[in-house]
Amino acid sequence: MIVDELSPTAKALMALELIQDNPGISGERLGQRLGVTDRAARRYVGILREAGIPIESTPGRYGGYRVGRGFRLPPLMFSTAEALGLMMAALEGHHRASDPEDPAGSALNKIIRVLPKPVAEPAESMRRIVTPRQAAEGTYPNPETTAALVQACTAARRLRIGYTRGDRDPITMDVDPWAVSVRQGLWYLLCWSHTKDAQRVLRVDRVTTTELLDDTFDPPEDLNPVTAIEDHFAQGWRYRIEVVIDAPLAEIVLARKLGRLEPIDETHTRLIGSTDEPDWYAYRLALLEATFSVIEPPELREALHTLGQRLLKASEG
């Protein structure tokens, strides 16, 4: 942004932001930050005062400008879904957005600060609970559903949720929601399922309904959501996966997203994982640059065969 091309009103608003972020800023410093003279900086302060914004000044060598007590900008008119959608997009697209020292995190702080309380509280809860990871392509969940899950995590309250499972019948589950996390562009709920009596990692975009129950719970001590979700993908799903990859462990990158890797020798690595969707797993394996052999299950071999036939047909024109 070129400051010289901005209108006086825009420069005055920049001056207001600088004064808010740097209480006691001197006229000289304000002018330097705006790229104008001290006299011009005083003129922009005058514009703010004419607009009814109480800019106080202290004369002298150590004097400066600050916003008067009690002044607040009008709240931004975001709905809950809009505010949480913005929060989700920031956390998904910028993995340091939860850090208040990062520019993106600082911007989110400013937005949360001026939001009405009923909107600001779930947004801030999401910021604390969500474990952000740099995102890739994925299915974007409903912000209001995500907010309900995050708030239940924060309050340690049990939930009854409706959940879809691909082409299988939807189910209802009672869960203790532990954490919400982003992995490879997909949002997941790490929880304990009382319906299945087991730890589960659920796709947030597949949660159709949420009902807050009266029961509370204590989450596991020293819970690391990212590690727990990574470990979970190596077990607990319908089909157990075992694949031998013709490459050393250090050279495999994409396979780290599919399960647990174990070195076999200097040139081979074993991939242990699990999945409910062999077709999806076959597509991911096909992205590997190394050759590999499927030990189990037969459903994965069949999915790879179908994928290979489709690719061969496409190559024949």
Side-chain angles (χ1 to χ4, degrees), residues 91-127:
L91 290 172
E92 219 178 280
H94 189 72
H95 66 288
R96 292 191 62 198
S98 61
D99 182 358
E101 300 299 323
D102 183 80
S106 176
L108 289 181
N109 267 346
K110 293 179 180 179
I111 292 173
I112 292 174
R113 192 163 58 236
V114 298
L115 288 174
K117 186 176 180 180
V119 181
E121 287 185 346
E124 180 58 33
S125 293
M126 175 178 289
R127 185 184 174 112

mmCIF file of all heavy atoms in Angstrom, residues 91-127:
data_model
loop_
_atom_site.group_PDB
_atom_site.id
_atom_site.type_symbol
_atom_site.label_atom_id
_atom_site.label_comp_id
_atom_site.label_asym_id
_atom_site.label_seq_id
_atom_site.Cartn_x
_atom_site.Cartn_y
_atom_site.Cartn_z
ATOM 1 N N LEU A 91 -7.433 -19.954 10.403
ATOM 2 C CA LEU A 91 -6.680 -21.043 11.028
ATOM 3 C C LEU A 91 -6.294 -22.104 10.011
ATOM 4 O O LEU A 91 -5.228 -22.708 10.094
ATOM 5 C CB LEU A 91 -7.511 -21.672 12.149
ATOM 6 C CG LEU A 91 -7.715 -20.798 13.389
ATOM 7 C CD1 LEU A 91 -8.714 -21.452 14.321
ATOM 8 C CD2 LEU A 91 -6.402 -20.549 14.103
ATOM 9 N N GLU A 92 -7.180 -22.324 9.027
ATOM 10 C CA GLU A 92 -6.909 -23.347 8.035
ATOM 11 C C GLU A 92 -5.861 -22.893 7.036
ATOM 12 O O GLU A 92 -4.983 -23.632 6.619
ATOM 13 C CB GLU A 92 -8.205 -23.680 7.290
ATOM 14 C CG GLU A 92 -8.364 -25.138 6.978
ATOM 15 C CD GLU A 92 -9.678 -25.419 6.278
ATOM 16 O OE1 GLU A 92 -10.703 -25.487 6.976
ATOM 17 O OE2 GLU A 92 -9.667 -25.566 5.057
ATOM 18 N N GLY A 93 -5.943 -21.625 6.640
ATOM 19 C CA GLY A 93 -5.070 -21.138 5.587
ATOM 20 C C GLY A 93 -3.747 -20.604 6.078
ATOM 21 O O GLY A 93 -2.803 -20.456 5.302
ATOM 22 N N HIS A 94 -3.646 -20.300 7.382
ATOM 23 C CA HIS A 94 -2.398 -19.727 7.908
ATOM 24 C C HIS A 94 -2.124 -20.391 9.234
ATOM 25 O O HIS A 94 -2.780 -20.112 10.234
ATOM 26 C CB HIS A 94 -2.553 -18.210 8.080
ATOM 27 C CG HIS A 94 -1.259 -17.521 8.418
ATOM 28 N ND1 HIS A 94 -0.244 -17.359 7.514
ATOM 29 C CD2 HIS A 94 -0.829 -16.961 9.571
ATOM 30 C CE1 HIS A 94 0.763 -16.707 8.091
ATOM 31 N NE2 HIS A 94 0.428 -16.460 9.333
ATOM 32 N N HIS A 95 -1.137 -21.290 9.266
ATOM 33 C CA HIS A 95 -0.973 -22.170 10.420
ATOM 34 C C HIS A 95 -0.499 -21.457 11.682
ATOM 35 O O HIS A 95 -0.481 -22.044 12.746
ATOM 36 C CB HIS A 95 -0.038 -23.326 10.084
ATOM 37 C CG HIS A 95 1.381 -22.908 9.807
ATOM 38 N ND1 HIS A 95 1.752 -22.253 8.659
ATOM 39 C CD2 HIS A 95 2.503 -23.061 10.528
ATOM 40 C CE1 HIS A 95 3.044 -22.024 8.696
ATOM 41 N NE2 HIS A 95 3.528 -22.499 9.810
ATOM 42 N N ARG A 96 -0.136 -20.159 11.585
ATOM 43 C CA ARG A 96 0.255 -19.431 12.789
ATOM 44 C C ARG A 96 -0.808 -18.415 13.202
ATOM 45 O O ARG A 96 -0.553 -17.522 13.991
ATOM 46 C CB ARG A 96 1.583 -18.722 12.560
ATOM 47 C CG ARG A 96 2.778 -19.654 12.393
ATOM 48 C CD ARG A 96 4.092 -18.894 12.440
ATOM 49 N NE ARG A 96 4.260 -18.239 13.725
ATOM 50 C CZ ARG A 96 5.119 -17.243 13.948
ATOM 51 N NH1 ARG A 96 5.860 -16.785 12.958
ATOM 52 N NH2 ARG A 96 5.220 -16.702 15.145
ATOM 53 N N ALA A 97 -2.012 -18.551 12.663
ATOM 54 C CA ALA A 97 -3.062 -17.582 12.963
ATOM 55 C C ALA A 97 -3.493 -17.623 14.427
ATOM 56 O O ALA A 97 -4.111 -16.681 14.918
ATOM 57 C CB ALA A 97 -4.275 -17.817 12.061
ATOM 58 N N SER A 98 -3.180 -18.711 15.132
ATOM 59 C CA SER A 98 -3.512 -18.774 16.557
ATOM 60 C C SER A 98 -2.477 -18.060 17.420
ATOM 61 O O SER A 98 -2.671 -17.896 18.623
ATOM 62 C CB SER A 98 -3.623 -20.236 17.007
ATOM 63 O OG SER A 98 -2.392 -20.907 16.823
ATOM 64 N N ASP A 99 -1.366 -17.619 16.819
ATOM 65 C CA ASP A 99 -0.299 -16.927 17.542
ATOM 66 C C ASP A 99 -0.575 -15.427 17.521
ATOM 67 O O ASP A 99 -0.566 -14.804 16.458
ATOM 68 C CB ASP A 99 1.042 -17.225 16.878
ATOM 69 C CG ASP A 99 2.219 -16.575 17.608
ATOM 70 O OD1 ASP A 99 1.979 -15.857 18.610
ATOM 71 O OD2 ASP A 99 3.365 -16.779 17.169
ATOM 72 N N PRO A 100 -0.845 -14.796 18.678
ATOM 73 C CA PRO A 100 -1.167 -13.369 18.685
ATOM 74 C C PRO A 100 -0.015 -12.483 18.224
ATOM 75 O O PRO A 100 -0.224 -11.318 17.900
ATOM 76 C CB PRO A 100 -1.531 -13.095 20.159
ATOM 77 C CG PRO A 100 -0.888 -14.196 20.925
ATOM 78 C CD PRO A 100 -0.881 -15.388 20.020
ATOM 79 N N GLU A 101 1.217 -13.024 18.186
ATOM 80 C CA GLU A 101 2.363 -12.247 17.726
ATOM 81 C C GLU A 101 2.480 -12.249 16.199
ATOM 82 O O GLU A 101 3.187 -11.429 15.625
ATOM 83 C CB GLU A 101 3.665 -12.802 18.336
ATOM 84 C CG GLU A 101 3.693 -12.772 19.857
ATOM 85 C CD GLU A 101 3.575 -11.352 20.405
ATOM 86 O OE1 GLU A 101 4.152 -10.437 19.785
ATOM 87 O OE2 GLU A 101 2.891 -11.170 21.421
ATOM 88 N N ASP A 102 1.797 -13.177 15.551
ATOM 89 C CA ASP A 102 1.823 -13.246 14.101
ATOM 90 C C ASP A 102 0.871 -12.194 13.528
ATOM 91 O O ASP A 102 -0.147 -11.869 14.156
ATOM 92 C CB ASP A 102 1.391 -14.644 13.657
ATOM 93 C CG ASP A 102 1.466 -14.834 12.159
ATOM 94 O OD1 ASP A 102 2.581 -15.078 11.654
ATOM 95 O OD2 ASP A 102 0.420 -14.711 11.494
ATOM 96 N N PRO A 103 1.159 -11.604 12.356
ATOM 97 C CA PRO A 103 0.256 -10.606 11.785
ATOM 98 C C PRO A 103 -1.177 -11.104 11.629
ATOM 99 O O PRO A 103 -2.129 -10.377 11.925
ATOM 100 C CB PRO A 103 0.901 -10.301 10.427
ATOM 101 C CG PRO A 103 2.352 -10.552 10.635
ATOM 102 C CD PRO A 103 2.410 -11.718 11.581
ATOM 103 N N ALA A 104 -1.349 -12.354 11.156
ATOM 104 C CA ALA A 104 -2.706 -12.887 11.017
ATOM 105 C C ALA A 104 -3.367 -13.040 12.387
ATOM 106 O O ALA A 104 -4.548 -12.744 12.557
ATOM 107 C CB ALA A 104 -2.672 -14.227 10.285
ATOM 108 N N GLY A 105 -2.597 -13.501 13.370
ATOM 109 C CA GLY A 105 -3.137 -13.641 14.714
ATOM 110 C C GLY A 105 -3.491 -12.304 15.326
ATOM 111 O O GLY A 105 -4.501 -12.161 16.019
ATOM 112 N N SER A 106 -2.668 -11.289 15.066
ATOM 113 C CA SER A 106 -2.949 -9.946 15.569
ATOM 114 C C SER A 106 -4.235 -9.403 14.958
ATOM 115 O O SER A 106 -5.051 -8.764 15.643
ATOM 116 C CB SER A 106 -1.772 -9.021 15.240
ATOM 117 O OG SER A 106 -2.052 -7.691 15.627
ATOM 118 N N ALA A 107 -4.436 -9.664 13.656
ATOM 119 C CA ALA A 107 -5.659 -9.203 12.998
ATOM 120 C C ALA A 107 -6.888 -9.871 13.603
ATOM 121 O O ALA A 107 -7.921 -9.224 13.830
ATOM 122 C CB ALA A 107 -5.574 -9.480 11.497
ATOM 123 N N LEU A 108 -6.782 -11.182 13.893
ATOM 124 C CA LEU A 108 -7.905 -11.872 14.513
ATOM 125 C C LEU A 108 -8.192 -11.317 15.905
ATOM 126 O O LEU A 108 -9.348 -11.217 16.315
ATOM 127 C CB LEU A 108 -7.612 -13.369 14.598
ATOM 128 C CG LEU A 108 -7.624 -14.137 13.273
ATOM 129 C CD1 LEU A 108 -7.336 -15.604 13.520
ATOM 130 C CD2 LEU A 108 -8.946 -13.985 12.564
ATOM 131 N N ASN A 109 -7.149 -10.953 16.630
ATOM 132 C CA ASN A 109 -7.346 -10.339 17.947
ATOM 133 C C ASN A 109 -8.204 -9.094 17.844
ATOM 134 O O ASN A 109 -9.114 -8.859 18.647
ATOM 135 C CB ASN A 109 -5.988 -9.970 18.556
ATOM 136 C CG ASN A 109 -5.435 -11.072 19.437
ATOM 137 O OD1 ASN A 109 -6.151 -11.988 19.802
ATOM 138 N ND2 ASN A 109 -4.166 -10.977 19.763
ATOM 139 N N LYS A 110 -7.900 -8.248 16.844
ATOM 140 C CA LYS A 110 -8.642 -6.998 16.686
ATOM 141 C C LYS A 110 -10.107 -7.263 16.352
ATOM 142 O O LYS A 110 -11.003 -6.574 16.839
ATOM 143 C CB LYS A 110 -7.993 -6.149 15.590
ATOM 144 C CG LYS A 110 -6.608 -5.629 15.962
ATOM 145 C CD LYS A 110 -5.996 -4.816 14.833
ATOM 146 C CE LYS A 110 -4.613 -4.304 15.221
ATOM 147 N NZ LYS A 110 -3.988 -3.526 14.129
ATOM 148 N N ILE A 111 -10.339 -8.265 15.506
ATOM 149 C CA ILE A 111 -11.718 -8.591 15.139
ATOM 150 C C ILE A 111 -12.492 -9.092 16.353
ATOM 151 O O ILE A 111 -13.610 -8.659 16.622
ATOM 152 C CB ILE A 111 -11.729 -9.636 14.009
ATOM 153 C CG1 ILE A 111 -11.188 -9.022 12.709
ATOM 154 C CG2 ILE A 111 -13.142 -10.180 13.780
ATOM 155 C CD1 ILE A 111 -11.008 -10.015 11.600
ATOM 156 N N ILE A 112 -11.877 -10.014 17.114
ATOM 157 C CA ILE A 112 -12.556 -10.565 18.287
ATOM 158 C C ILE A 112 -12.850 -9.478 19.313
ATOM 159 O O ILE A 112 -13.895 -9.472 19.965
ATOM 160 C CB ILE A 112 -11.700 -11.689 18.916
ATOM 161 C CG1 ILE A 112 -11.650 -12.902 17.974
ATOM 162 C CG2 ILE A 112 -12.246 -12.112 20.273
ATOM 163 C CD1 ILE A 112 -10.708 -13.995 18.434
ATOM 164 N N ARG A 113 -11.921 -8.507 19.425
ATOM 165 C CA ARG A 113 -12.060 -7.459 20.433
ATOM 166 C C ARG A 113 -13.300 -6.599 20.220
ATOM 167 O O ARG A 113 -13.881 -6.079 21.174
ATOM 168 C CB ARG A 113 -10.800 -6.599 20.431
ATOM 169 C CG ARG A 113 -10.693 -5.662 21.631
ATOM 170 C CD ARG A 113 -9.280 -5.152 21.824
ATOM 171 N NE ARG A 113 -8.778 -4.457 20.645
ATOM 172 C CZ ARG A 113 -7.667 -4.764 19.996
ATOM 173 N NH1 ARG A 113 -6.942 -5.794 20.398
ATOM 174 N NH2 ARG A 113 -7.275 -4.083 18.951
ATOM 175 N N VAL A 114 -13.735 -6.425 18.975
ATOM 176 C CA VAL A 114 -14.870 -5.535 18.720
ATOM 177 C C VAL A 114 -16.153 -6.285 18.397
ATOM 178 O O VAL A 114 -17.185 -5.668 18.134
ATOM 179 C CB VAL A 114 -14.548 -4.552 17.568
ATOM 180 C CG1 VAL A 114 -13.389 -3.667 17.936
ATOM 181 C CG2 VAL A 114 -14.264 -5.287 16.268
ATOM 182 N N LEU A 115 -16.113 -7.620 18.417
ATOM 183 C CA LEU A 115 -17.327 -8.386 18.177
ATOM 184 C C LEU A 115 -18.235 -8.359 19.400
ATOM 185 O O LEU A 115 -17.763 -8.291 20.539
ATOM 186 C CB LEU A 115 -16.979 -9.840 17.851
ATOM 187 C CG LEU A 115 -16.355 -10.127 16.486
ATOM 188 C CD1 LEU A 115 -15.951 -11.587 16.403
ATOM 189 C CD2 LEU A 115 -17.316 -9.784 15.371
ATOM 190 N N PRO A 116 -19.552 -8.414 19.204
ATOM 191 C CA PRO A 116 -20.465 -8.550 20.346
ATOM 192 C C PRO A 116 -20.154 -9.828 21.119
ATOM 193 O O PRO A 116 -19.709 -10.826 20.545
ATOM 194 C CB PRO A 116 -21.844 -8.626 19.680
ATOM 195 C CG PRO A 116 -21.664 -8.003 18.338
ATOM 196 C CD PRO A 116 -20.265 -8.313 17.921
ATOM 197 N N LYS A 117 -20.390 -9.805 22.401
ATOM 198 C CA LYS A 117 -20.006 -10.922 23.270
ATOM 199 C C LYS A 117 -20.559 -12.271 22.823
ATOM 200 O O LYS A 117 -19.819 -13.263 22.833
ATOM 201 C CB LYS A 117 -20.459 -10.619 24.702
ATOM 202 C CG LYS A 117 -19.978 -11.651 25.723
ATOM 203 C CD LYS A 117 -20.382 -11.250 27.138
ATOM 204 C CE LYS A 117 -19.900 -12.283 28.151
ATOM 205 N NZ LYS A 117 -20.288 -11.914 29.526
ATOM 206 N N PRO A 118 -21.848 -12.379 22.416
ATOM 207 C CA PRO A 118 -22.350 -13.700 22.011
ATOM 208 C C PRO A 118 -21.628 -14.287 20.804
ATOM 209 O O PRO A 118 -21.637 -15.493 20.608
ATOM 210 C CB PRO A 118 -23.830 -13.421 21.681
ATOM 211 C CG PRO A 118 -24.165 -12.183 22.436
ATOM 212 C CD PRO A 118 -22.910 -11.360 22.423
ATOM 213 N N VAL A 119 -21.031 -13.421 19.982
ATOM 214 C CA VAL A 119 -20.285 -13.897 18.820
ATOM 215 C C VAL A 119 -18.816 -14.088 19.168
ATOM 216 O O VAL A 119 -18.165 -15.033 18.726
ATOM 217 C CB VAL A 119 -20.433 -12.916 17.639
ATOM 218 C CG1 VAL A 119 -19.678 -13.420 16.417
ATOM 219 C CG2 VAL A 119 -21.906 -12.728 17.295
ATOM 220 N N ALA A 120 -18.284 -13.163 19.989
ATOM 221 C CA ALA A 120 -16.856 -13.203 20.305
ATOM 222 C C ALA A 120 -16.473 -14.439 21.121
ATOM 223 O O ALA A 120 -15.399 -15.001 20.923
ATOM 224 C CB ALA A 120 -16.460 -11.934 21.062
ATOM 225 N N GLU A 121 -17.326 -14.844 22.046
ATOM 226 C CA GLU A 121 -16.971 -15.955 22.927
ATOM 227 C C GLU A 121 -16.761 -17.274 22.176
ATOM 228 O O GLU A 121 -15.743 -17.943 22.376
ATOM 229 C CB GLU A 121 -18.018 -16.099 24.036
ATOM 230 C CG GLU A 121 -17.917 -14.995 25.077
ATOM 231 C CD GLU A 121 -18.862 -15.206 26.237
ATOM 232 O OE1 GLU A 121 -19.779 -16.046 26.104
ATOM 233 O OE2 GLU A 121 -18.700 -14.533 27.272
ATOM 234 N N PRO A 122 -17.693 -17.702 21.291
ATOM 235 C CA PRO A 122 -17.402 -18.940 20.554
ATOM 236 C C PRO A 122 -16.212 -18.809 19.612
ATOM 237 O O PRO A 122 -15.480 -19.783 19.394
ATOM 238 C CB PRO A 122 -18.698 -19.210 19.773
ATOM 239 C CG PRO A 122 -19.457 -17.942 19.794
ATOM 240 C CD PRO A 122 -19.060 -17.228 21.037
ATOM 241 N N ALA A 123 -15.996 -17.606 19.063
ATOM 242 C CA ALA A 123 -14.830 -17.414 18.188
ATOM 243 C C ALA A 123 -13.538 -17.576 18.972
ATOM 244 O O ALA A 123 -12.587 -18.235 18.521
ATOM 245 C CB ALA A 123 -14.889 -16.032 17.536
ATOM 246 N N GLU A 124 -13.480 -17.009 20.159
ATOM 247 C CA GLU A 124 -12.281 -17.127 20.988
ATOM 248 C C GLU A 124 -12.100 -18.560 21.471
ATOM 249 O O GLU A 124 -10.978 -19.058 21.573
ATOM 250 C CB GLU A 124 -12.376 -16.167 22.173
ATOM 251 C CG GLU A 124 -11.176 -16.211 23.119
ATOM 252 C CD GLU A 124 -9.870 -15.894 22.402
ATOM 253 O OE1 GLU A 124 -9.884 -15.087 21.444
ATOM 254 O OE2 GLU A 124 -8.834 -16.461 22.799
ATOM 255 N N SER A 125 -13.212 -19.246 21.774
ATOM 256 C CA SER A 125 -13.123 -20.648 22.181
ATOM 257 C C SER A 125 -12.520 -21.492 21.065
ATOM 258 O O SER A 125 -11.667 -22.349 21.300
ATOM 259 C CB SER A 125 -14.517 -21.184 22.544
ATOM 260 O OG SER A 125 -15.008 -20.544 23.701
ATOM 261 N N MET A 126 -12.970 -21.247 19.845
ATOM 262 C CA MET A 126 -12.422 -21.990 18.710
ATOM 263 C C MET A 126 -10.932 -21.743 18.588
ATOM 264 O O MET A 126 -10.142 -22.656 18.349
ATOM 265 C CB MET A 126 -13.128 -21.572 17.418
ATOM 266 C CG MET A 126 -12.532 -22.208 16.167
ATOM 267 S SD MET A 126 -13.423 -21.731 14.691
ATOM 268 C CE MET A 126 -14.936 -22.632 14.956
ATOM 269 N N ARG A 127 -10.513 -20.518 18.774
ATOM 270 C CA ARG A 127 -9.100 -20.160 18.652
ATOM 271 C C ARG A 127 -8.253 -20.913 19.680
ATOM 272 O O ARG A 127 -7.137 -21.323 19.411
ATOM 273 C CB ARG A 127 -8.958 -18.660 18.828
ATOM 274 C CG ARG A 127 -7.559 -18.103 18.603
ATOM 275 C CD ARG A 127 -7.630 -16.630 18.924
ATOM 276 N NE ARG A 127 -6.317 -16.034 18.875
ATOM 277 C CZ ARG A 127 -5.941 -15.157 17.954
ATOM 278 N NH1 ARG A 127 -6.758 -14.820 17.002
ATOM 279 N NH2 ARG A 127 -4.748 -14.629 17.985
#
